[in-house]
Amino acid sequence: MANRPEQQDAAAGAHPLDPLTADEIRRVAATLRQEKGLNDGWRFASIELAEPTKDELAARRAELSRSARVVCWNTADGQAYRAAVSLVDDQVTRWEYLPGQQPNMTVDEWHDCDHMLRHHPQVIRALARRGVTDMSRVLTDVWAYGAALVPARYRGLRLGWSDVWERGSTDGNPYAHHITGLHPIVDLNRMTLLEIEDSPEAEDSAGRPEVMGEYLPKLIPMQLREVSPLQVTQPEGVSFALFGRLLRWQSWELRIGFNYREGLVLHTVGFNDGGRLRPIAHRLSFAEMIVPYRDATVDHYRRTAFDIGEWGLGFMTTSLELGCDCLGEIRYLDAVLHDSRGEPRIIRNAICIHEEDDGILWKHVDERVGSEVRRSRRLVISFHVTVANYEYLVYWRFYQDGNIECEVRATGIMVTSSFPAGSQPATGALVDERTYAPYHQHFIVARLDLDIDGQPNTVYASESQPLPVSNANPHGLALVTRETALRTESQGRQDYDWGSQRSWRVAATRSRNGLGLAPAYKLVPGGSFPPLIDASSPAFQRAEVIGHTLWVTPYQPEERWPCGEFPNMSAADYGLPAWTARDRPIEDTDVVLWHVFGLHHITRPEDWPIMPVDRTSFWLKPWGFFDRNPALDVPPSPHHGG
Ligand SMILES: [Cu+2]
C-alpha cells in the first residue's frame, strides 16, 4: 500500500537521534553568548547534536539528556574552545580550552576572504600587471594549510592560501582560467592579506593560454544532441514510508541523520527478517576525505584537502532538484545547519530518498516452466556536496537481497594551471592549450559501526587460496577459503590484496543461522588503491589512515575522526594511528570498521572542462546472515505483451 509521508511526519514524535532544529541551534548560541560572554569577535565552527551513546539509547535515557556539542573560537586571540550545552535546561555543561587547535574552516570565511581579496589594492595591482582588470570576473578560492608548510613567520595564525581565477565572461566557468603563480596568503582571524606570492615565471611570457573551459551550452557554439523523454512514474505512490526520520522500505529500517561534518548519517540500520528486526549497523557515515594533489609546483604543493575535517560535507551540501538530480517519486529532507555567527541555515532538499529500478535481481529459464525473473529495486538515499570546484555525489543503496552499496561519484571542475611553452610538468595531464590538470587522489574514510545481530562481533580476513597439486587434488583445481580472525588493532590494519581476493567478514559471535553458521556481513572493497606516497611527506603524516584499506577499532563514542578532530593546519594524524597504537583487543566485541576507498585520479582530457562522473564504491553483503536467498518473496513484475 502506498504511504503518504507528509501525514506520517506530522504524527511522528522527535527522536533522540534527530539532528538539532533551528530553534535548538539558536538556543545553544544564545546560551553560550550569555554564559561565556562571547562577543561579536567569536565564531562558531560547529554546532551539532551530541549523539546519545549506544548505552544511553538502549537505556532510553537519551530523551532526558539532549545536548549539543560546539566548537567555537575567538578571532581576537585565536583561542578555541569545545563546549557542551544542555538543551534540557539551556546550561553550558562543559567548557574546554583547546590550546593550539584550529577549528574547521567556515563557509563565511571562504566568502569573506574572497570579498576582501577581490577588493584589495595589492591584489588588484598584481592582477593588472597580468592584464586582468575586470574584478567582477575574478574569483579567489582560499585553501587550508598543513602545519609543515606554514612559513615560520606565520606560525600560530589561522592561515589560508588562495588561488586566483578569472571567468572568461560574466557567466563563464569560474575555474576555467587559473592565474598561475599568484597566491595570496591570508590571516583569516584578522581577515587581512599578509602577502602575495607572485611567481610570474610560472606563466608564459606570451601570456595566458587560449583555453576553452566552458560547459554552459550558451557559451559553446554547438548543437545539443537529441534525446527522447524518459519518465519514471509510480502511479500508486512509493513503497517506502517515512515516520519523522525513521525510514521503512521492504524489509529495511533505518534512521536518517545529518551533521555539519559527515553530512548524511545512517543510524540503526536493520533488516526485518520474518517479523524480527535484526540489527546490521548502528551508524554509517563518511568520517574523513583526504585529497592530496601529487604535484610539486608552486601552485599545487600545498593542495591537500581534508574535505570533511576542514570544510565539512554537511556545510558543503547543496539543494537537489527534481527531474535533474533525482528522477521519479522523490521524498526530500531538509538539513538544518548554521553559519559562523550561530544563526541557523537551512539547506532545502538536502537529502533525496527514492526507489530505483535496478535491472534483474534473479532469473532462470527452465525448459518446462519457462522464464522466471524478478526485477531488482533499490532504495537510494543520497546527498550532493560542492566543495569549491569539485562535486561529490553520495549514494547509499539498499537492495532487496540484503545488500548495501555505497557509491560516490566525483564530478565538477578539475584544478588546472598553465605552464610556459615546452615545460609541462610530468605530474599531470595536458587538457587544453598549455594547461594541465595535476594528478591527485581522493581518499574517503567510511566509518562503519556495524552491529551484526547486535554488538559482540568478530572481523575475519577472508581469503581464497588454491591448494597445491596432490593425490587428492591431481588437477590442481581445489580452491579453499582461509579465515583469519583479527584479534587486536594491529591485526585490524588490513590492505587490499588482489592475489587472495581478500575481503572482510564481520560475524556475530552470539547467534547462529539455520545452517549453524555465524551470521555475518562481508565488506567487499571495490575502490581501494595504495597511497603511493613517501611516508615522510607532510600530506601522509597528517593522514596516515590512507596507508591501509581497513582499520578496526573497538567502539568508543568519542573516536569519530580518523585524522583527528582538527585536521585544519595539523602536523600529524591524531586519529586512527594514535588510537590503534594501544593495540586494543577487537575480538568478540563491539567493533567499528574504517574503510578507506576512493579515486586514484590520473587526470585525462575527457575530464575537461567539466568532468563526467567517475565512480567508486564498496559493498556490504550478507554472508550467512540469511539461510538462503532472502529475495525469493519478491513478486514478479506484470509483463506487457510484445
Ligand atoms: Cu579528482
Side-chain angles (χ1 to χ4, degrees):
M1 188 61 211
N3 292 291
R4 300 199 57 96
E6 294 79 7
Q7 289 163 13
Q8 290 154 4
D9 277 4
H15 186 275
L17 288 171
D18 287 352
L20 296 183
T21 64
D23 175 56
E24 287 175 322
I25 288 170
R26 267 190 216 104
R27 278 166 53 201
V28 168
T31 302
L32 277 165
R33 271 195 213 100
Q34 198 166 28
E35 278 198 38
K36 293 293 163 191
L38 312 192
N39 61 25
D40 281 353
W42 286 72
R43 297 288 178 273
F44 293 94
S46 61
I47 304 175
E48 61 165 339
L49 172 74
E51 284 179 24
T53 63
K54 288 186 193 184
D55 289 348
E56 287 166 343
L57 277 175
R60 302 196 172 279
R61 280 186 277 119
E63 290 85 344
L64 306 171
S65 59
R66 187 166 171 86
S67 71
R69 287 175 61 103
V70 178
V71 172
C72 54
W73 84 99
N74 185 353
T75 56
D77 60 9
Q79 304 307 310
Y81 295 81
R82 186 192 284 121
V85 176
S86 164
L87 287 158
V88 179
D89 53 10
D90 293 311
Q91 301 248 319
V92 179
T93 54
R94 177 175 166 194
W95 180 252
E96 187 190 346
Y97 176 43
L98 303 168
Q101 302 290 7
Q102 284 297 343
N104 53 269
M105 306 285 275
T106 64
V107 178
D108 290 335
E109 285 171 295
W110 194 90
H111 287 295
D112 292 349
C113 186
D114 177 49
H115 185 266
M116 181 273 288
L117 289 174
R118 282 191 297 108
H119 290 85
H120 199 288
Q122 259 180 278
V123 176
I124 293 170
R125 272 200 302 277
L127 284 168
R129 274 199 297 276
R130 293 168 182 241
V132 178
T133 52
D134 183 354
M135 292 305 289
S136 73
R137 291 186 356 201
V138 170
L139 171 79
T140 68
D141 181 8
V142 70
W143 285 62
Y145 260 97
L149 305 179
V150 170
R153 60 190 178 281
Y154 298 141
R155 290 244 166 88
L157 297 181
R158 186 169 168 86
L159 203 65
W161 67 277
S162 182
D163 285 304
V164 186
W165 303 88
E166 186 194 24
R167 293 177 198 260
S169 59
T170 308
D171 291 338
N173 176 358
Y175 292 98
H177 309 279
H178 187 252
I179 312 292
T180 298
L182 191 68
H183 300 286
I185 312 295
V186 176
D187 176 340
L188 290 165
N189 275 337
R190 290 180 187 82
M191 206 45 87
T192 51
L193 175 66
L194 295 168
E195 66 175 275
I196 302 182
E197 290 178 5
D198 198 343
S199 332
E201 70 279 5
E203 284 203 334
D204 193 289
S205 53
R208 279 183 296 137
E210 285 291 318
V211 168
M212 204 310 275
E214 306 304 340
Y215 55 89
L216 294 183
K218 68 176 183 184
L219 299 177
I220 310 169
M222 65 174 177
Q223 176 111 37
L224 295 181
R225 66 179 77 179
E226 282 178 24
V227 285
S228 56
L230 191 158
Q231 279 168 4
V232 175
T233 57
Q234 292 186 279
E236 292 171 39
V238 297
S239 40
F240 61 83
L242 205 51
F243 306 87
R245 302 183 77 94
L246 175 70
L247 177 63
R248 289 205 181 105
W249 176 76
Q250 303 280 291
S251 305
W252 290 100
E253 180 174 318
L254 56 99
R255 273 191 176 280
I256 298 175
F258 196 90
N259 65 48
Y260 75 100
R261 187 149 168 168
E262 295 159 293
L264 179 67
V265 178
L266 303 181
H267 299 281
T268 56
V269 178
F271 194 95
N272 200 311
D273 186 9
R276 189 164 58 106
L277 184 66
R278 298 175 65 191
I280 292 169
H282 180 69
R283 198 177 185 283
L284 304 171
S285 70
F286 291 172
E288 194 51 274
M289 168 141 44
I290 304 105
V291 188
Y293 280 71
R294 306 300 304 277
D295 183 289
T297 63
V298 292
D299 292 290
H300 306 297
Y301 75 98
R302 280 168 289 208
R303 204 180 297 282
T304 297
F306 289 72
D307 288 323
I308 294 177
E310 285 172 351
W311 292 101
L313 293 190
F315 283 143
M316 301 291 119
T317 294
T318 51
S319 297
L320 299 166
E321 279 178 47
L322 184 61
C324 310
D325 293 307
C326 333
L327 201 56
E329 286 291 321
I330 308 295
R331 180 80 173 94
Y332 290 111
L333 292 176
D334 296 341
V336 181
L337 297 173
H338 60 87
D339 65 17
S340 65
R341 311 292 171 132
E343 272 301 303
R345 201 180 126 243
I346 294 171
I347 304 168
R348 300 279 172 214
N349 296 354
I351 301 168
C352 165
I353 305 163
H354 76 295
E355 290 175 283
E356 277 177 4
D357 179 82
D358 176 48
I360 303 303
L361 174 64
W362 55 259
K363 172 173 180 167
H364 184 61
V365 181
D366 175 71
E367 268 189 18
R368 188 173 300 169
V369 181
S371 174
E372 194 72 10
V373 57
R374 297 293 181 274
R375 289 202 73 80
S376 170
R377 192 181 295 196
R378 61 192 186 190
L379 180 81
V380 189
I381 308 169
S382 61
F383 73 115
H384 293 182
V385 303
T386 299
V387 193
N389 55 303
Y390 228 70
E391 264 75 14
Y392 297 102
L393 324 179
V394 181
Y395 301 89
W396 288 92
R397 302 192 182 114
F398 293 83
Y399 291 81
Q400 291 161 306
D401 59 358
N403 281 335
I404 302 173
E405 178 195 21
C406 176
E407 183 183 272
V408 177
R409 298 183 176 197
T411 176
I413 322 290
M414 291 188 302
V415 167
T416 56
S417 56
S418 65
F419 55 87
S423 67
Q424 186 195 330
T427 48
L430 184 71
V431 297
D432 209 319
E433 184 188 318
R434 282 192 283 117
T435 298
Y436 79 112
Y439 302 143
H440 58 274
Q441 297 156 304
H442 308 256
F443 295 94
I444 304 165
V445 188
R447 183 180 183 277
L448 310 172
D449 180 355
L450 300 183
D451 283 7
I452 305 300
D453 263 345
Q455 283 177 18
N457 286 176
T458 296
V459 184
Y460 297 84
S462 182
E463 302 178 311
S464 298
Q465 206 174 61
L467 292 184
V469 171
S470 67
N471 286 341
N473 181 32
H475 311 296
L477 284 167
L479 179 81
V480 294
T481 54
R482 300 270 185 234
E483 301 266 322
T484 311
L486 309 179
R487 301 183 199 282
T488 67
E489 287 176 306
S490 57
Q491 294 173 14
R493 276 181 220 126
Q494 292 277 311
D495 297 320
Y496 178 73
D497 183 47
W498 188 78
S500 67
Q501 289 296 292
R502 186 179 297 153
S503 63
W504 296 280
R505 198 164 62 83
V506 185
T509 50
R510 307 278 162 87
S511 63
R512 289 288 174 269
N513 68 10
L515 302 165
L517 306 168
Y521 259 72
K522 198 158 87 165
L523 169 61
V524 184
S528 298
F529 52 96
L532 297 166
I533 193 167
D534 194 289
S536 71
S537 159
F540 184 77
Q541 294 286 312
R542 301 170 68 201
E544 283 181 49
V545 60
I546 66 175
H548 298 289
T549 311
L550 178 71
W551 302 64
V552 184
T553 57
Y555 168 74
Q556 280 295 332
E558 291 300 309
E559 293 180 359
R560 298 173 67 193
W561 312 119
C563 297
E565 187 175 354
F566 303 106
N568 189 8
M569 304 189 68
S570 66
D573 187 333
Y574 300 107
L576 274 167
W579 309 328
T580 60
R582 283 172 280 172
D583 206 17
R584 296 167 293 186
I586 53 171
E587 193 179 18
D588 191 18
T589 189
D590 185 5
V591 291
V592 177
L593 280 72
W594 309 77
H595 176 42
V596 181
F597 71 111
L599 294 163
H600 182 69
H601 195 170
I602 299 303
T603 51
R604 51 176 193 148
E606 288 84 349
D607 295 337
W608 182 253
I610 190 165
M611 177 181 159
V613 294
D614 201 357
R615 304 151 203 242
T616 182
S617 69
F618 65 86
W619 289 76
L620 295 167
K621 296 186 173 183
W623 198 101
F625 190 80
F626 304 105
D627 297 344
R628 59 184 61 78
N629 179 351
L632 292 180
D633 59 350
V634 171
S637 308
H639 55 91
H640 318 283

